[in-house]
Amino acid sequence: MNGMVIYRDLYDQKGPFLYLLYGIGYLISHKSFFGIYIFEIIAGTIFLAFAFKLIKRHSSTSVALVLIPLVAAGVYSSRSFYWGGAAEEFCLPMLSYTIYIIDIFMHPKDTKEYDRISDSRTYFIVGILTGITALVKYTMMGFFFGFAMISICLIIYRKGFAEVLKKALIYILGIVIPFIPWLIYFAITGGLDDWYRCYIYNNLFFYSNITADSISLYEKIYRLAKLQHWLILDNFEYYVWIIACFILALILERKAAKKIAYLFMYASTFFVIFYGGGTLPYYSIPLMVFAIPGAAYVADIFQKAYIKYNKRVLWCNTAVFVIALSAVFAKYNCLSADYLLQSRQDHWLTRMASHIEEAPDTTLLNVGCLDVGLYTITGIVPTCEYFQTNGIALPTMFEEQSRYIKEGLTEYVIAGEWEPDGIYEKYELIDSVSFYDNSYDQVYYLYKLK
């Protein structure tokens, strides 16, 4: 949005569609995340809409309306959503649509419904969603691998191998479509090599610590199992539904393939996301989508009660009670709820921003941590390629940031966790803050060029 090319001029590791989304948000409000908040609301609405449609397929409108607030409260007040604005969050609508399609594949109401939803158009649409997701954050590709494998099994069972080839070609065509505009863009701007280097190569070969040859297969499995254990404890709000999905599928489904279909998709999603060894709270957001079929299986059971006690007033009162209960739960369970009581002026970021001179040519460097938001609140556009310290252990990044500081390339520097080596040769400390937030001890230092 300021004439620079992603990857070529500014180094980061997410996909281009995410930056396009944030670019549009920047046009709406370039000194806050109000624009992104709008997109969060839209993404949440679409996610819950498909969740409602899937749950309704297994029950009724009344039962779905009762359960959907519980699912929403569990998902959006979980630890995974603490930071907000994550790449995974904006892919939930695409994942929820796909899980909805899978549910119809496995539980068609009749032959006509299956034929309608399993036509070439559906595979083309899911292919496009797969391509877009790959260009947001490709660690979510495990989910679509699970979709592809289940689809292949269902098509072979119902239509034969020839139909698999036809649908596969259409699906692949859909995947390719989202890449075309970016291939053109980066070719025109001379950034094709940078796109590959930053988004593909560096993410694959510099972002992993569990794939080292020194770690045995047993150790890898042990670490992943331990991680899964902690994810369940940290995000019980939506894992209750996921666990219900796996257990009730084993009990309620008659065919063996259907009993393990969602478990297989979950395992594929989990493995691709976490096999590299790194983890942050928002990494597990894609797993939330498996709460939807879990709620659908529960709805199937509730439907029997609904048929027995089909009293509109009873179910309306139940829905109102559940909405109120969900709202209270979300309010007191959400880790960010305390910020609702804090004014903008009392936030440490606002205080640090007050020390920075407002001028068009003001420059800033963020080191030692992910971008803390000082660029946004001040409206400063980064001028250094490695404008922040991201999660990838890239030697060049640390070397270049050290050079920036040594040469005093920016007027201000904000550092996280610790003070950079040699910082006082060119800079002076003008502010610092230390606080405890969501199990993290946060320390930030703000420096100004002498």
Side-chain angles (χ1 to χ4, degrees):
M1 299 304 162
N2 288 278
M4 289 179 287
V5 178
I6 50 177
Y7 311 120
R8 189 193 71 184
D9 300 324
L10 294 176
Y11 183 89
D12 213 334
Q13 62 198 98
K14 302 297 195 303
F17 271 117
L18 182 67
Y19 299 125
L20 177 61
L21 182 72
Y22 268 81
I24 298 171
Y26 176 88
L27 296 178
I28 296 172
S29 176
H30 72 280
K31 283 193 175 183
S32 76
F33 287 120
F34 178 71
I36 299 304
Y37 181 66
I38 293 174
F39 288 125
E40 287 184 309
I41 296 297
I42 294 171
T45 301
I46 297 172
F47 171 74
L48 292 176
F50 282 111
F52 174 79
K53 287 167 68 69
L54 196 157
I55 295 170
K56 181 182 174 182
R57 291 192 76 253
H58 291 260
S59 55
S60 62
T61 299
S62 298
V63 172
L65 287 173
V66 168
L67 288 181
I68 204 69
L70 296 174
V71 175
V75 166
Y76 291 107
S77 70
S78 66
R79 183 183 179 90
S80 297
F81 261 90
Y82 166 65
W83 282 341
E88 292 85 349
E89 176 182 348
F90 297 112
C91 291
L92 276 180
M94 296 180 279
L95 303 185
S96 62
Y97 172 80
T98 306
I99 207 86
Y100 173 69
I101 296 300
I102 282 290
D103 185 76
I104 297 178
F105 285 174
M106 294 201 305
H107 309 103
K109 293 181 179 180
D110 50 47
T111 305
K112 288 184 178 179
E113 183 187 42
Y114 177 81
D115 291 338
R116 177 179 58 83
I117 205 67
S118 63
D119 62 7
S120 298
R121 183 178 61 177
T122 297
Y123 283 92
F124 183 69
I125 292 172
V126 177
I128 290 175
L129 298 182
T130 304
I132 293 173
T133 305
L135 292 173
V136 171
K137 191 173 181 182
Y138 64 76
T139 54
M140 288 176 274
M141 287 300 95
F143 175 86
F144 290 101
F145 171 79
F147 163 81
M149 292 299 101
I150 291 174
S151 297
I152 288 172
C153 292
L154 290 173
I155 293 171
I156 291 175
Y157 176 74
R158 291 187 169 114
K159 301 286 185 176
F161 285 98
E163 189 69 14
V164 169
L165 181 60
K166 176 184 174 182
K167 293 296 194 300
L169 290 174
I170 293 169
Y171 180 59
I172 293 170
L173 176 62
I175 294 174
V176 170
I177 296 296
F179 283 81
I180 295 174
W182 293 111
L183 287 168
I184 296 171
Y185 170 76
F186 286 116
I188 292 173
T189 57
L192 278 174
D193 180 66
D194 298 291
W195 179 22
Y196 169 77
R197 173 178 57 87
C198 297
Y199 186 51
I200 305 296
Y201 185 84
N202 287 350
N203 275 329
L204 286 175
F205 296 102
F206 290 96
Y207 199 57
S208 171
N209 57 27
I210 198 172
T211 55
D213 294 335
S214 59
I215 299 177
S216 66
L217 178 61
Y218 171 80
E219 181 68 13
K220 292 176 186 177
I221 295 173
Y222 171 76
R223 291 191 186 186
L224 289 172
K226 187 176 180 180
L227 174 60
Q228 177 63 88
H229 170 257
W230 284 109
L231 286 178
I232 294 172
L233 295 181
D234 286 344
N235 299 287
F236 71 92
E237 304 92 343
Y238 60 84
Y239 263 101
V240 167
W241 299 106
I242 295 175
I243 293 170
C245 174
F246 302 149
I247 294 175
L248 292 178
L250 289 173
I251 297 171
L252 300 178
E253 296 289 358
R254 295 181 179 180
K255 296 182 179 180
K258 292 182 179 180
K259 287 178 181 289
I260 63 169
Y262 288 123
L263 181 60
F264 172 76
M265 284 189 73
Y266 177 92
S268 301
T269 309
F270 176 87
F271 186 80
V272 174
I273 292 173
F274 293 107
Y275 186 78
T279 179
L280 286 169
Y282 56 82
Y283 282 13
S284 56
I285 286 177
L287 302 175
M288 293 175 173
V289 75
F290 295 98
I292 302 176
Y297 282 123
V298 172
D300 193 14
I301 297 172
F302 277 19
Q303 181 63 17
K304 295 179 175 61
Y306 175 73
I307 294 172
K308 186 176 182 179
Y309 303 102
N310 190 6
K311 297 180 179 180
R312 188 175 182 83
V313 174
L314 171 64
W315 284 93
C316 286
N317 291 337
T318 303
V320 170
F321 171 75
V322 169
I323 289 173
L325 178 66
S326 301
V328 171
F329 175 82
K331 167 65 171 65
Y332 288 98
N333 188 66
C334 178
L335 297 171
S336 298
D338 289 343
Y339 285 108
L340 294 172
L341 304 176
Q342 187 181 75
S343 71
R344 181 185 178 92
Q345 296 306 315
D346 292 336
H347 195 274
W348 68 269
L349 198 58
T350 306
R351 190 186 81 190
M352 283 200 168
S354 67
H355 295 298
I356 296 178
E357 179 184 356
E358 290 190 24
D361 58 347
T362 301
T363 54
L364 171 70
L365 174 65
N366 187 112
V367 298
C369 55
L370 295 170
D371 176 11
V372 298
L374 198 56
Y375 287 115
T376 301
I377 196 173
T378 60
I380 296 175
V381 178
T383 53
C384 298
E385 179 182 3
Y386 298 96
F387 65 98
Q388 65 165 346
T389 305
N390 57 41
I392 190 167
L394 193 66
T396 306
M397 174 176 62
F398 300 117
E399 293 168 3
E400 283 294 281
Q401 289 180 340
S402 179
R403 180 178 68 83
Y404 300 156
I405 293 172
K406 188 178 296 183
E407 296 179 7
L409 292 187
T410 60
E411 188 176 354
Y412 295 92
V413 173
I414 184 168
E417 306 303 328
W418 59 80
E419 297 191 84
D421 294 336
I423 187 72
Y424 288 105
E425 293 180 12
K426 293 277 188 176
Y427 295 87
E428 60 179 341
L429 182 68
I430 59 174
D431 197 3
S432 64
V433 61
S434 177
F435 62 97
Y436 182 80
D437 183 45
N438 187 26
S439 303
Y440 294 96
D441 285 313
Q442 308 280 6
V443 182
Y444 296 116
Y445 306 91
L446 181 64
Y447 305 91
K448 184 177 182 180
L449 193 65
K450 294 180 182 178

